[in-house]
Amino acid sequence: MCFSQIIHKKMQKIFSAFFLWMVVSSSFVVAQSIEKLAVINLHQIQEPNYLKQNKVNYIEDKASAMRVEDVMKAFEAQKGQAVTDPYQINFGQSSSTFWICFKVQDTFSEEVGKKWVFKIAYPSLDSVDFYFYDKKGQLQVWNTGDRRGFVERDIKSTRFFAFHLPIHNQEVHTFYLRVKGNGVLSVPIIFYELEHYYSQAIYEETLMGAFYGVLLVLSFYNLFLYFVLRSRMYLMYVAYMLGIAVFSASLDGHLFQYIFFWSVYLAESTLVLSGYTAFFFLVSFIQAFLQTNKNIKYAHLFLNVLKYFFVLMSVIYLVTGNYKIPVGILALVSPSTALTVFLVCGYAAYKKIPSANLLIFAFLSSLLGTFIYGLKNANVLPNSLFTAYAYYVGFTIQGIIFSLALAERYKQLKRELINTQKEANETLEVKVKERTEALEMLHQEMVSQNEELQQSQEEILAQRDAIAIKSNE
């Protein structure tokens, strides 16, 4: 059984398991109702389903005109909508402002003052304002969001938005969140003890480190192969992998957290430019791998148009500095480009271009991962470890299969080269044999002619001698 057949069977099992999971999880619904807001006892947050009992309310401010005082009165009048699970708060694509309210209490007197935190497990929110009362009863606000510098955040040890819960005594404390954005408004809230929060942050960063580590290892390994083999497709692969790594780090907030924490502009610029750069080199890699200039000429021309478009959008962004339009176009172009390249690979497989089947499986993994992640953001699938990391798993599998495909492709090219050399040698041997036979025939003719000349010479000499003898007589 060949390698591509093994991959095909494995992918069938994965897809079957995924659709079964979709059916099982289809009962996920964020039910809403208007009820009195319950108090969260922080020492019970680990109990199953505890936070699903009307512990968090929200109000939608479509005009973005409400002040915090208006919001407080509205929540006191029980005008808030309840969510069944704080971890599943997702308002979908919306330009409205949303106010979220929750009440917490630390009932253990010996542990009052223990540090508690809460986290919004979604890094792409334009504005996040956290309102709370200090010890003097004065209303305070912590303003943050991905439109503000990372250094302005309360807790800086995570790419997500995290805040300390200022709890001063055993009384009920009420907190308010104001969130706003121009894209997906996902606000999954998780409460932690401070110790547990840091251990969870380490676990999450370890998972992300594994993703980036795999991409970098694959990149450097294939870069080494490029210097050895001098094949252009290896260089295009390396550029694409590094582009995806930078784009993913920009998208999930790691680049903002660790490198551009002082500059929103540089963080945004890197997201736009790395996105278009990654797709540019993806198209270039597919062209080099499938040799579309020879095998699929019309697809090659269309892919060239896509590459010029990516360059044009990057130049427009650098010249105008407009962020929203290039990002919006990138969001539209990304799936369409991936689908286009996937169809090109499908056609290449139909034409039986070597290793094209592996590219199909690679694209299926990344498309499936992105699709699941998109369904989570669209509030179709629940927020979970699987849906949160499906994007990264998909692109990790894609990178690995691409690398395997390169190895298969190189072996195929090597076999083709060996066969070509063998055919050339056989052709040369035939020509040498034919030339040798021709030379032998020519040699035989020359020998025959020499013999005839020698015989003629002898006859002439004999005649000369005969004439001389007669003359002497």
Side-chain angles (χ1 to χ4, degrees), residues 387-421:
T387 56
Y389 289 93
Y391 166 88
Y392 304 101
V393 173
F395 275 96
T396 300
I397 294 174
Q398 184 194 65
I400 293 172
I401 296 180
F402 272 173
S403 186
L404 294 174
L406 279 172
E408 288 287 319
R409 183 62 171 155
Y410 176 72
K411 289 179 183 178
Q412 178 65 28
L413 291 175
K414 189 176 180 180
R415 284 194 294 267
E416 291 176 358
L417 180 61
I418 292 173
N419 291 334
T420 302
Q421 290 177 342

PDB file of all heavy atoms in Angstrom, residues 387-421:
ATOM      1  N   THR A 387     -12.046  23.109  19.426  1.00  0.00           N
ATOM      2  CA  THR A 387     -12.379  24.170  18.479  1.00  0.00           C
ATOM      3  C   THR A 387     -11.401  25.340  18.569  1.00  0.00           C
ATOM      4  O   THR A 387     -11.128  26.007  17.567  1.00  0.00           O
ATOM      5  CB  THR A 387     -13.806  24.684  18.720  1.00  0.00           C
ATOM      6  OG1 THR A 387     -13.941  25.116  20.085  1.00  0.00           O
ATOM      7  CG2 THR A 387     -14.830  23.597  18.456  1.00  0.00           C
ATOM      8  N   ALA A 388     -10.859  25.589  19.764  1.00  0.00           N
ATOM      9  CA  ALA A 388      -9.929  26.702  19.942  1.00  0.00           C
ATOM     10  C   ALA A 388      -8.595  26.441  19.255  1.00  0.00           C
ATOM     11  O   ALA A 388      -7.937  27.373  18.777  1.00  0.00           O
ATOM     12  CB  ALA A 388      -9.710  26.976  21.426  1.00  0.00           C
ATOM     13  N   TYR A 389      -8.183  25.169  19.185  1.00  0.00           N
ATOM     14  CA  TYR A 389      -6.867  24.841  18.629  1.00  0.00           C
ATOM     15  C   TYR A 389      -6.958  24.098  17.302  1.00  0.00           C
ATOM     16  O   TYR A 389      -5.941  23.623  16.787  1.00  0.00           O
ATOM     17  CB  TYR A 389      -6.064  24.009  19.635  1.00  0.00           C
ATOM     18  CG  TYR A 389      -5.623  24.817  20.833  1.00  0.00           C
ATOM     19  CD1 TYR A 389      -6.389  24.863  21.987  1.00  0.00           C
ATOM     20  CD2 TYR A 389      -4.450  25.560  20.799  1.00  0.00           C
ATOM     21  CE1 TYR A 389      -5.998  25.622  23.085  1.00  0.00           C
ATOM     22  CE2 TYR A 389      -4.055  26.321  21.888  1.00  0.00           C
ATOM     23  CZ  TYR A 389      -4.827  26.341  23.027  1.00  0.00           C
ATOM     24  OH  TYR A 389      -4.441  27.102  24.107  1.00  0.00           O
ATOM     25  N   ALA A 390      -8.153  23.998  16.726  1.00  0.00           N
ATOM     26  CA  ALA A 390      -8.316  23.295  15.446  1.00  0.00           C
ATOM     27  C   ALA A 390      -7.497  23.968  14.344  1.00  0.00           C
ATOM     28  O   ALA A 390      -6.908  23.285  13.495  1.00  0.00           O
ATOM     29  CB  ALA A 390      -9.796  23.249  15.064  1.00  0.00           C
ATOM     30  N   TYR A 391      -7.463  25.298  14.354  1.00  0.00           N
ATOM     31  CA  TYR A 391      -6.693  26.048  13.348  1.00  0.00           C
ATOM     32  C   TYR A 391      -5.222  25.648  13.393  1.00  0.00           C
ATOM     33  O   TYR A 391      -4.602  25.366  12.351  1.00  0.00           O
ATOM     34  CB  TYR A 391      -6.859  27.544  13.615  1.00  0.00           C
ATOM     35  CG  TYR A 391      -5.883  28.431  12.885  1.00  0.00           C
ATOM     36  CD1 TYR A 391      -6.161  28.903  11.613  1.00  0.00           C
ATOM     37  CD2 TYR A 391      -4.685  28.821  13.484  1.00  0.00           C
ATOM     38  CE1 TYR A 391      -5.268  29.734  10.953  1.00  0.00           C
ATOM     39  CE2 TYR A 391      -3.784  29.644  12.834  1.00  0.00           C
ATOM     40  CZ  TYR A 391      -4.079  30.100  11.573  1.00  0.00           C
ATOM     41  OH  TYR A 391      -3.193  30.909  10.921  1.00  0.00           O
ATOM     42  N   TYR A 392      -4.655  25.597  14.583  1.00  0.00           N
ATOM     43  CA  TYR A 392      -3.234  25.302  14.730  1.00  0.00           C
ATOM     44  C   TYR A 392      -2.927  23.843  14.387  1.00  0.00           C
ATOM     45  O   TYR A 392      -1.904  23.550  13.754  1.00  0.00           O
ATOM     46  CB  TYR A 392      -2.792  25.614  16.155  1.00  0.00           C
ATOM     47  CG  TYR A 392      -3.097  27.033  16.567  1.00  0.00           C
ATOM     48  CD1 TYR A 392      -4.199  27.336  17.365  1.00  0.00           C
ATOM     49  CD2 TYR A 392      -2.314  28.085  16.125  1.00  0.00           C
ATOM     50  CE1 TYR A 392      -4.501  28.643  17.712  1.00  0.00           C
ATOM     51  CE2 TYR A 392      -2.598  29.399  16.460  1.00  0.00           C
ATOM     52  CZ  TYR A 392      -3.699  29.669  17.258  1.00  0.00           C
ATOM     53  OH  TYR A 392      -3.998  30.953  17.594  1.00  0.00           O
ATOM     54  N   VAL A 393      -3.809  22.947  14.781  1.00  0.00           N
ATOM     55  CA  VAL A 393      -3.627  21.536  14.438  1.00  0.00           C
ATOM     56  C   VAL A 393      -3.678  21.351  12.924  1.00  0.00           C
ATOM     57  O   VAL A 393      -2.855  20.632  12.341  1.00  0.00           O
ATOM     58  CB  VAL A 393      -4.703  20.666  15.128  1.00  0.00           C
ATOM     59  CG1 VAL A 393      -4.612  19.223  14.644  1.00  0.00           C
ATOM     60  CG2 VAL A 393      -4.549  20.715  16.637  1.00  0.00           C
ATOM     61  N   GLY A 394      -4.633  22.023  12.277  1.00  0.00           N
ATOM     62  CA  GLY A 394      -4.776  21.913  10.827  1.00  0.00           C
ATOM     63  C   GLY A 394      -3.530  22.362  10.083  1.00  0.00           C
ATOM     64  O   GLY A 394      -3.060  21.678   9.168  1.00  0.00           O
ATOM     65  N   PHE A 395      -2.964  23.498  10.482  1.00  0.00           N
ATOM     66  CA  PHE A 395      -1.784  24.008   9.778  1.00  0.00           C
ATOM     67  C   PHE A 395      -0.526  23.227  10.150  1.00  0.00           C
ATOM     68  O   PHE A 395       0.415  23.150   9.349  1.00  0.00           O
ATOM     69  CB  PHE A 395      -1.604  25.499  10.058  1.00  0.00           C
ATOM     70  CG  PHE A 395      -2.418  26.361   9.142  1.00  0.00           C
ATOM     71  CD1 PHE A 395      -3.661  26.830   9.539  1.00  0.00           C
ATOM     72  CD2 PHE A 395      -1.973  26.676   7.875  1.00  0.00           C
ATOM     73  CE1 PHE A 395      -4.440  27.597   8.698  1.00  0.00           C
ATOM     74  CE2 PHE A 395      -2.739  27.459   7.011  1.00  0.00           C
ATOM     75  CZ  PHE A 395      -3.982  27.921   7.431  1.00  0.00           C
ATOM     76  N   THR A 396      -0.492  22.648  11.341  1.00  0.00           N
ATOM     77  CA  THR A 396       0.634  21.784  11.689  1.00  0.00           C
ATOM     78  C   THR A 396       0.641  20.544  10.801  1.00  0.00           C
ATOM     79  O   THR A 396       1.686  20.163  10.252  1.00  0.00           O
ATOM     80  CB  THR A 396       0.546  21.355  13.166  1.00  0.00           C
ATOM     81  OG1 THR A 396       0.574  22.519  13.995  1.00  0.00           O
ATOM     82  CG2 THR A 396       1.715  20.457  13.533  1.00  0.00           C
ATOM     83  N   ILE A 397      -0.525  19.933  10.652  1.00  0.00           N
ATOM     84  CA  ILE A 397      -0.633  18.757   9.778  1.00  0.00           C
ATOM     85  C   ILE A 397      -0.308  19.137   8.338  1.00  0.00           C
ATOM     86  O   ILE A 397       0.386  18.398   7.619  1.00  0.00           O
ATOM     87  CB  ILE A 397      -2.047  18.153   9.878  1.00  0.00           C
ATOM     88  CG1 ILE A 397      -2.291  17.600  11.282  1.00  0.00           C
ATOM     89  CG2 ILE A 397      -2.233  17.042   8.841  1.00  0.00           C
ATOM     90  CD1 ILE A 397      -3.703  17.116  11.523  1.00  0.00           C
ATOM     91  N   GLN A 398      -0.769  20.302   7.907  1.00  0.00           N
ATOM     92  CA  GLN A 398      -0.469  20.750   6.550  1.00  0.00           C
ATOM     93  C   GLN A 398       1.042  20.881   6.333  1.00  0.00           C
ATOM     94  O   GLN A 398       1.579  20.420   5.324  1.00  0.00           O
ATOM     95  CB  GLN A 398      -1.134  22.094   6.269  1.00  0.00           C
ATOM     96  CG  GLN A 398      -0.930  22.575   4.840  1.00  0.00           C
ATOM     97  CD  GLN A 398      -1.275  24.038   4.648  1.00  0.00           C
ATOM     98  OE1 GLN A 398      -0.627  24.920   5.205  1.00  0.00           O
ATOM     99  NE2 GLN A 398      -2.293  24.306   3.845  1.00  0.00           N
ATOM    100  N   GLY A 399       1.722  21.511   7.287  1.00  0.00           N
ATOM    101  CA  GLY A 399       3.167  21.680   7.156  1.00  0.00           C
ATOM    102  C   GLY A 399       3.896  20.351   7.087  1.00  0.00           C
ATOM    103  O   GLY A 399       4.834  20.183   6.288  1.00  0.00           O
ATOM    104  N   ILE A 400       3.465  19.394   7.902  1.00  0.00           N
ATOM    105  CA  ILE A 400       4.109  18.080   7.910  1.00  0.00           C
ATOM    106  C   ILE A 400       3.864  17.354   6.578  1.00  0.00           C
ATOM    107  O   ILE A 400       4.803  16.788   5.984  1.00  0.00           O
ATOM    108  CB  ILE A 400       3.588  17.235   9.086  1.00  0.00           C
ATOM    109  CG1 ILE A 400       4.042  17.854  10.412  1.00  0.00           C
ATOM    110  CG2 ILE A 400       4.081  15.792   8.985  1.00  0.00           C
ATOM    111  CD1 ILE A 400       3.425  17.213  11.632  1.00  0.00           C
ATOM    112  N   ILE A 401       2.616  17.382   6.096  1.00  0.00           N
ATOM    113  CA  ILE A 401       2.314  16.696   4.836  1.00  0.00           C
ATOM    114  C   ILE A 401       3.020  17.377   3.672  1.00  0.00           C
ATOM    115  O   ILE A 401       3.511  16.710   2.746  1.00  0.00           O
ATOM    116  CB  ILE A 401       0.789  16.644   4.606  1.00  0.00           C
ATOM    117  CG1 ILE A 401       0.120  15.803   5.691  1.00  0.00           C
ATOM    118  CG2 ILE A 401       0.482  16.033   3.240  1.00  0.00           C
ATOM    119  CD1 ILE A 401      -1.389  15.699   5.547  1.00  0.00           C
ATOM    120  N   PHE A 402       3.099  18.712   3.693  1.00  0.00           N
ATOM    121  CA  PHE A 402       3.851  19.425   2.658  1.00  0.00           C
ATOM    122  C   PHE A 402       5.309  18.947   2.632  1.00  0.00           C
ATOM    123  O   PHE A 402       5.890  18.731   1.563  1.00  0.00           O
ATOM    124  CB  PHE A 402       3.813  20.929   2.912  1.00  0.00           C
ATOM    125  CG  PHE A 402       2.622  21.619   2.300  1.00  0.00           C
ATOM    126  CD1 PHE A 402       2.373  22.958   2.575  1.00  0.00           C
ATOM    127  CD2 PHE A 402       1.751  20.951   1.463  1.00  0.00           C
ATOM    128  CE1 PHE A 402       1.278  23.604   2.024  1.00  0.00           C
ATOM    129  CE2 PHE A 402       0.654  21.585   0.907  1.00  0.00           C
ATOM    130  CZ  PHE A 402       0.421  22.917   1.187  1.00  0.00           C
ATOM    131  N   SER A 403       5.893  18.804   3.813  1.00  0.00           N
ATOM    132  CA  SER A 403       7.284  18.358   3.897  1.00  0.00           C
ATOM    133  C   SER A 403       7.439  16.941   3.357  1.00  0.00           C
ATOM    134  O   SER A 403       8.398  16.635   2.628  1.00  0.00           O
ATOM    135  CB  SER A 403       7.762  18.433   5.353  1.00  0.00           C
ATOM    136  OG  SER A 403       9.144  18.127   5.439  1.00  0.00           O
ATOM    137  N   LEU A 404       6.490  16.061   3.712  1.00  0.00           N
ATOM    138  CA  LEU A 404       6.516  14.698   3.176  1.00  0.00           C
ATOM    139  C   LEU A 404       6.319  14.699   1.661  1.00  0.00           C
ATOM    140  O   LEU A 404       6.952  13.915   0.938  1.00  0.00           O
ATOM    141  CB  LEU A 404       5.430  13.854   3.846  1.00  0.00           C
ATOM    142  CG  LEU A 404       5.601  13.588   5.346  1.00  0.00           C
ATOM    143  CD1 LEU A 404       4.372  12.873   5.896  1.00  0.00           C
ATOM    144  CD2 LEU A 404       6.850  12.752   5.602  1.00  0.00           C
ATOM    145  N   ALA A 405       5.449  15.584   1.195  1.00  0.00           N
ATOM    146  CA  ALA A 405       5.209  15.683  -0.248  1.00  0.00           C
ATOM    147  C   ALA A 405       6.466  16.146  -0.973  1.00  0.00           C
ATOM    148  O   ALA A 405       6.761  15.683  -2.082  1.00  0.00           O
ATOM    149  CB  ALA A 405       4.051  16.642  -0.526  1.00  0.00           C
ATOM    150  N   LEU A 406       7.204  17.060  -0.359  1.00  0.00           N
ATOM    151  CA  LEU A 406       8.467  17.502  -0.952  1.00  0.00           C
ATOM    152  C   LEU A 406       9.442  16.339  -1.081  1.00  0.00           C
ATOM    153  O   LEU A 406      10.129  16.197  -2.102  1.00  0.00           O
ATOM    154  CB  LEU A 406       9.088  18.613  -0.099  1.00  0.00           C
ATOM    155  CG  LEU A 406       8.540  20.022  -0.315  1.00  0.00           C
ATOM    156  CD1 LEU A 406       9.110  20.974   0.730  1.00  0.00           C
ATOM    157  CD2 LEU A 406       8.865  20.526  -1.717  1.00  0.00           C
ATOM    158  N   ALA A 407       9.499  15.515  -0.027  1.00  0.00           N
ATOM    159  CA  ALA A 407      10.389  14.352  -0.077  1.00  0.00           C
ATOM    160  C   ALA A 407       9.955  13.393  -1.188  1.00  0.00           C
ATOM    161  O   ALA A 407      10.799  12.892  -1.957  1.00  0.00           O
ATOM    162  CB  ALA A 407      10.387  13.633   1.273  1.00  0.00           C
ATOM    163  N   GLU A 408       8.638  13.144  -1.274  1.00  0.00           N
ATOM    164  CA  GLU A 408       8.119  12.277  -2.341  1.00  0.00           C
ATOM    165  C   GLU A 408       8.392  12.876  -3.716  1.00  0.00           C
ATOM    166  O   GLU A 408       8.771  12.176  -4.652  1.00  0.00           O
ATOM    167  CB  GLU A 408       6.618  12.077  -2.146  1.00  0.00           C
ATOM    168  CG  GLU A 408       6.242  11.183  -0.989  1.00  0.00           C
ATOM    169  CD  GLU A 408       6.521   9.723  -1.275  1.00  0.00           C
ATOM    170  OE1 GLU A 408       6.251   9.267  -2.402  1.00  0.00           O
ATOM    171  OE2 GLU A 408       7.027   9.037  -0.371  1.00  0.00           O
ATOM    172  N   ARG A 409       8.173  14.181  -3.820  1.00  0.00           N
ATOM    173  CA  ARG A 409       8.379  14.858  -5.104  1.00  0.00           C
ATOM    174  C   ARG A 409       9.849  14.806  -5.515  1.00  0.00           C
ATOM    175  O   ARG A 409      10.171  14.578  -6.688  1.00  0.00           O
ATOM    176  CB  ARG A 409       7.917  16.308  -4.998  1.00  0.00           C
ATOM    177  CG  ARG A 409       8.017  17.096  -6.302  1.00  0.00           C
ATOM    178  CD  ARG A 409       7.139  16.514  -7.358  1.00  0.00           C
ATOM    179  NE  ARG A 409       7.063  17.373  -8.539  1.00  0.00           N
ATOM    180  CZ  ARG A 409       6.776  16.948  -9.745  1.00  0.00           C
ATOM    181  NH1 ARG A 409       6.533  15.667  -9.951  1.00  0.00           N
ATOM    182  NH2 ARG A 409       6.722  17.788 -10.754  1.00  0.00           N
ATOM    183  N   TYR A 410      10.735  15.006  -4.546  1.00  0.00           N
ATOM    184  CA  TYR A 410      12.165  14.960  -4.868  1.00  0.00           C
ATOM    185  C   TYR A 410      12.565  13.560  -5.328  1.00  0.00           C
ATOM    186  O   TYR A 410      13.337  13.404  -6.283  1.00  0.00           O
ATOM    187  CB  TYR A 410      12.995  15.370  -3.652  1.00  0.00           C
ATOM    188  CG  TYR A 410      14.478  15.244  -3.902  1.00  0.00           C
ATOM    189  CD1 TYR A 410      15.135  16.143  -4.737  1.00  0.00           C
ATOM    190  CD2 TYR A 410      15.215  14.201  -3.329  1.00  0.00           C
ATOM    191  CE1 TYR A 410      16.493  16.021  -4.989  1.00  0.00           C
ATOM    192  CE2 TYR A 410      16.571  14.073  -3.581  1.00  0.00           C
ATOM    193  CZ  TYR A 410      17.199  14.985  -4.415  1.00  0.00           C
ATOM    194  OH  TYR A 410      18.544  14.851  -4.667  1.00  0.00           O
ATOM    195  N   LYS A 411      12.019  12.538  -4.632  1.00  0.00           N
ATOM    196  CA  LYS A 411      12.309  11.161  -5.059  1.00  0.00           C
ATOM    197  C   LYS A 411      11.806  10.918  -6.474  1.00  0.00           C
ATOM    198  O   LYS A 411      12.484  10.268  -7.283  1.00  0.00           O
ATOM    199  CB  LYS A 411      11.652  10.175  -4.092  1.00  0.00           C
ATOM    200  CG  LYS A 411      12.290  10.116  -2.717  1.00  0.00           C
ATOM    201  CD  LYS A 411      11.546   9.138  -1.825  1.00  0.00           C
ATOM    202  CE  LYS A 411      12.134   9.117  -0.414  1.00  0.00           C
ATOM    203  NZ  LYS A 411      11.372   8.205   0.473  1.00  0.00           N
ATOM    204  N   GLN A 412      10.608  11.454  -6.764  1.00  0.00           N
ATOM    205  CA  GLN A 412      10.052  11.285  -8.101  1.00  0.00           C
ATOM    206  C   GLN A 412      10.911  11.993  -9.139  1.00  0.00           C
ATOM    207  O   GLN A 412      11.208  11.430 -10.210  1.00  0.00           O
ATOM    208  CB  GLN A 412       8.623  11.846  -8.138  1.00  0.00           C
ATOM    209  CG  GLN A 412       7.934  11.766  -9.497  1.00  0.00           C
ATOM    210  CD  GLN A 412       7.702  10.341  -9.949  1.00  0.00           C
ATOM    211  OE1 GLN A 412       7.555   9.447  -9.116  1.00  0.00           O
ATOM    212  NE2 GLN A 412       7.673  10.118 -11.258  1.00  0.00           N
ATOM    213  N   LEU A 413      11.325  13.227  -8.833  1.00  0.00           N
ATOM    214  CA  LEU A 413      12.187  13.964  -9.764  1.00  0.00           C
ATOM    215  C   LEU A 413      13.524  13.257  -9.944  1.00  0.00           C
ATOM    216  O   LEU A 413      14.079  13.233 -11.053  1.00  0.00           O
ATOM    217  CB  LEU A 413      12.399  15.389  -9.243  1.00  0.00           C
ATOM    218  CG  LEU A 413      11.171  16.315  -9.261  1.00  0.00           C
ATOM    219  CD1 LEU A 413      11.496  17.646  -8.606  1.00  0.00           C
ATOM    220  CD2 LEU A 413      10.692  16.531 -10.690  1.00  0.00           C
ATOM    221  N   LYS A 414      14.026  12.683  -8.840  1.00  0.00           N
ATOM    222  CA  LYS A 414      15.285  11.946  -8.926  1.00  0.00           C
ATOM    223  C   LYS A 414      15.127  10.712  -9.807  1.00  0.00           C
ATOM    224  O   LYS A 414      16.007  10.407 -10.635  1.00  0.00           O
ATOM    225  CB  LYS A 414      15.740  11.541  -7.518  1.00  0.00           C
ATOM    226  CG  LYS A 414      17.140  10.961  -7.468  1.00  0.00           C
ATOM    227  CD  LYS A 414      17.556  10.686  -6.035  1.00  0.00           C
ATOM    228  CE  LYS A 414      18.969  10.093  -5.997  1.00  0.00           C
ATOM    229  NZ  LYS A 414      19.403   9.809  -4.608  1.00  0.00           N
ATOM    230  N   ARG A 415      13.980  10.004  -9.630  1.00  0.00           N
ATOM    231  CA  ARG A 415      13.719   8.839 -10.482  1.00  0.00           C
ATOM    232  C   ARG A 415      13.595   9.257 -11.944  1.00  0.00           C
ATOM    233  O   ARG A 415      14.121   8.582 -12.843  1.00  0.00           O
ATOM    234  CB  ARG A 415      12.440   8.139 -10.030  1.00  0.00           C
ATOM    235  CG  ARG A 415      12.609   7.317  -8.765  1.00  0.00           C
ATOM    236  CD  ARG A 415      11.419   6.383  -8.557  1.00  0.00           C
ATOM    237  NE  ARG A 415      10.188   7.125  -8.307  1.00  0.00           N
ATOM    238  CZ  ARG A 415       9.742   7.422  -7.096  1.00  0.00           C
ATOM    239  NH1 ARG A 415      10.431   7.061  -6.023  1.00  0.00           N
ATOM    240  NH2 ARG A 415       8.614   8.090  -6.947  1.00  0.00           N
ATOM    241  N   GLU A 416      12.896  10.394 -12.173  1.00  0.00           N
ATOM    242  CA  GLU A 416      12.760  10.883 -13.541  1.00  0.00           C
ATOM    243  C   GLU A 416      14.116  11.251 -14.129  1.00  0.00           C
ATOM    244  O   GLU A 416      14.390  10.980 -15.305  1.00  0.00           O
ATOM    245  CB  GLU A 416      11.828  12.089 -13.575  1.00  0.00           C
ATOM    246  CG  GLU A 416      10.369  11.757 -13.276  1.00  0.00           C
ATOM    247  CD  GLU A 416       9.497  12.988 -13.236  1.00  0.00           C
ATOM    248  OE1 GLU A 416      10.042  14.108 -13.402  1.00  0.00           O
ATOM    249  OE2 GLU A 416       8.271  12.848 -13.034  1.00  0.00           O
ATOM    250  N   LEU A 417      14.982  11.864 -13.309  1.00  0.00           N
ATOM    251  CA  LEU A 417      16.311  12.233 -13.770  1.00  0.00           C
ATOM    252  C   LEU A 417      17.138  10.994 -14.093  1.00  0.00           C
ATOM    253  O   LEU A 417      17.833  10.944 -15.126  1.00  0.00           O
ATOM    254  CB  LEU A 417      17.023  13.074 -12.702  1.00  0.00           C
ATOM    255  CG  LEU A 417      18.443  13.543 -13.038  1.00  0.00           C
ATOM    256  CD1 LEU A 417      18.413  14.432 -14.288  1.00  0.00           C
ATOM    257  CD2 LEU A 417      19.048  14.310 -11.861  1.00  0.00           C
ATOM    258  N   ILE A 418      17.035   9.997 -13.204  1.00  0.00           N
ATOM    259  CA  ILE A 418      17.768   8.749 -13.442  1.00  0.00           C
ATOM    260  C   ILE A 418      17.276   8.077 -14.724  1.00  0.00           C
ATOM    261  O   ILE A 418      18.082   7.599 -15.541  1.00  0.00           O
ATOM    262  CB  ILE A 418      17.620   7.798 -12.236  1.00  0.00           C
ATOM    263  CG1 ILE A 418      18.364   8.372 -11.025  1.00  0.00           C
ATOM    264  CG2 ILE A 418      18.145   6.404 -12.570  1.00  0.00           C
ATOM    265  CD1 ILE A 418      18.131   7.587  -9.746  1.00  0.00           C
ATOM    266  N   ASN A 419      15.940   8.058 -14.897  1.00  0.00           N
ATOM    267  CA  ASN A 419      15.375   7.461 -16.106  1.00  0.00           C
ATOM    268  C   ASN A 419      15.788   8.235 -17.350  1.00  0.00           C
ATOM    269  O   ASN A 419      16.090   7.636 -18.393  1.00  0.00           O
ATOM    270  CB  ASN A 419      13.848   7.413 -16.011  1.00  0.00           C
ATOM    271  CG  ASN A 419      13.358   6.427 -14.973  1.00  0.00           C
ATOM    272  OD1 ASN A 419      14.060   5.455 -14.659  1.00  0.00           O
ATOM    273  ND2 ASN A 419      12.165   6.651 -14.431  1.00  0.00           N
ATOM    274  N   THR A 420      15.796   9.576 -17.198  1.00  0.00           N
ATOM    275  CA  THR A 420      16.221  10.408 -18.335  1.00  0.00           C
ATOM    276  C   THR A 420      17.677  10.135 -18.690  1.00  0.00           C
ATOM    277  O   THR A 420      18.035  10.005 -19.876  1.00  0.00           O
ATOM    278  CB  THR A 420      16.034  11.897 -18.008  1.00  0.00           C
ATOM    279  OG1 THR A 420      14.660  12.142 -17.684  1.00  0.00           O
ATOM    280  CG2 THR A 420      16.436  12.766 -19.178  1.00  0.00           C
ATOM    281  N   GLN A 421      18.525  10.072 -17.646  1.00  0.00           N
ATOM    282  CA  GLN A 421      19.936   9.774 -17.880  1.00  0.00           C
ATOM    283  C   GLN A 421      20.119   8.379 -18.482  1.00  0.00           C
ATOM    284  O   GLN A 421      20.948   8.172 -19.369  1.00  0.00           O
ATOM    285  CB  GLN A 421      20.714   9.889 -16.578  1.00  0.00           C
ATOM    286  CG  GLN A 421      20.849  11.319 -16.074  1.00  0.00           C
ATOM    287  CD  GLN A 421      21.572  11.389 -14.742  1.00  0.00           C
ATOM    288  OE1 GLN A 421      21.698  10.400 -14.023  1.00  0.00           O
ATOM    289  NE2 GLN A 421      22.050  12.580 -14.409  1.00  0.00           N
TER     290      GLN A 421
END
